[in-house]
Amino acid sequence: MGAIQGWIISDGTLDLGSPEKVFLGETKQNVEQALISNFLPTEQIVVDQNILFFSLGNTNVLVETGVGSFRGFGEGAGQLVDNLLAAGIEPARIDAILCSHPHPDHVGGLCQADGQPTFPHASIYLAEHDFAYWTDEALLDGWAAAAIRVARANLLPLRERLVFIQDGEEFLPGVTAHFTPGHTAEHICFELRAGTESLFLLGDVAHHAVLSLENPLLNFAADLEPATAAKTRTQVLSTLAEERTRVLGYHFPWPGLGHIAKQGEGFRFVPEPIRW
């Protein structure tokens, strides 16, 4: 993009479980039909984790960190460090880490199992409200206990390196934060601009390249505020389709690059062809 060169690094796949437990508000038959029509399995929802690495001058940036040592999503995840090294990128080279929100598959890789930082020189950018909520000790007995434990284990040891960013803030050159609430209260989509080109990082606004787009009002089980998430998702996807903005879907089929197009009452993802 312009003068910026980026790499998309996989952290592997997440097994989210059976469709009826993951996507709510639609009949099992309709969900299965949507999956079948797109040649996808109907027993389990399995999604990718597409992590962007890029350089801004002398600043090396990583967007999200995957699950790390957390094994709540099956054995297919936790591949980030191995794949960074395979791409010739040493974790110690990372200067900035952008976190859309503090869920296990986004901050779980900040620290290793022994509590040591995976990226020893990186500042971590995220929203203050989400940090406070997902590290709240009082919530350890609630429905999100597993996510709270992962967030506390990965964020609290790095407290001095956290940088809280605001909605609409260009906090790094060409990188702007857009608060997109619903999945969490201050979930962030990041927009990267270089010259005349831009890339919009969807984060968890949409979890599935078919189900989340064909029916954007479909509720995702882990959304903190499902109605707000559905409204946000519809608004964001509408804008991206109208403006023909290039996107990176964190949970879309690897590498997740493409565009959003309007389709009936919903949308569809148009993958970007590989340019040899």
Side-chain angles (χ1 to χ4, degrees):
M1 284 180 47
I4 295 176
Q5 187 171 9
W7 289 255
I8 297 173
I9 312 295
S10 175
D11 189 53
T13 56
L14 299 182
D15 184 345
L16 299 181
S18 59
E20 61 268 24
K21 293 182 179 180
V22 181
F23 290 97
L24 313 175
E26 183 57 276
T27 66
K28 180 180 180 180
Q29 181 179 6
N30 286 348
V31 171
E32 286 187 351
Q33 186 55 53
L35 294 170
I36 291 170
S37 297
N38 287 273
F39 302 92
L40 295 171
T42 59
E43 299 82 14
Q44 300 291 111
I45 296 292
V46 178
V47 297
D48 284 88
Q49 298 173 96
N50 304 313
I51 294 173
L52 178 65
F53 167 84
F54 63 96
S55 294
L56 292 170
N58 295 323
T59 303
N60 294 320
V61 183
L62 195 68
V63 187
E64 320 288 19
T65 66
V67 302
S69 59
F70 180 66
R71 285 296 174 265
F73 298 107
E75 296 299 318
Q79 310 298 321
L80 175 61
V81 171
D82 286 345
N83 287 336
L84 280 171
L85 294 173
I89 303 166
E90 295 285 340
R93 287 177 51 200
I94 305 298
D95 302 300
I97 295 173
L98 318 186
C99 294
S100 61
H101 62 296
H103 278 179
D105 53 322
H106 296 261
V107 301
L110 283 170
C111 290
Q112 301 173 48
D114 61 2
Q116 295 300 308
T118 307
F119 308 96
H121 306 302
S123 298
I124 298 99
Y125 295 80
L126 74 167
E128 185 173 12
H129 178 281
D130 270 4
F131 164 76
Y133 182 92
W134 294 98
T135 57
D136 188 348
E137 188 176 7
L139 300 178
L140 282 172
D141 294 328
W143 65 275
I148 300 292
R149 285 195 294 269
V150 173
R152 288 175 59 84
N154 284 275
L155 290 172
L156 295 183
L158 306 176
R159 182 64 182 84
E160 293 183 356
R161 290 205 265 129
L162 301 185
V163 180
F164 297 130
I165 52 181
Q166 305 299 316
D167 185 23
E169 180 183 357
E170 184 177 341
F171 59 95
L172 291 173
V175 185
T176 302
H178 298 283
F179 282 19
T180 46
H183 184 58
T184 62
E186 290 184 345
H187 176 279
I188 303 172
C189 287
F190 299 104
E191 184 178 14
L192 174 62
R193 289 188 174 275
T196 60
E197 297 186 66
S198 65
L199 180 66
F200 193 89
L201 280 62
L202 287 171
D204 278 8
V205 162
H207 285 81
H208 197 274
V210 173
L211 298 178
S212 300
L213 270 59
E214 288 190 358
N215 183 359
L217 299 181
L218 195 63
N219 290 334
F220 182 73
D223 285 342
L224 187 64
E225 301 173 358
T228 302
K231 181 180 179 181
T232 295
R233 182 161 45 252
T234 303
Q235 291 175 339
V236 169
L237 295 177
S238 294
T239 300
L240 294 172
E242 290 171 5
E243 298 182 355
R244 301 175 67 85
T245 303
R246 191 186 195 192
V247 304
L248 172 59
Y250 183 67
H251 289 306
F252 288 7
W254 189 90
L257 284 171
H259 289 81
I260 303 297
K262 196 79 176 72
Q263 178 175 278
E265 296 299 315
F267 306 87
R268 63 186 175 93
F269 177 61
V270 183
E272 184 174 295
I274 292 176
R275 303 171 186 175
W276 297 102

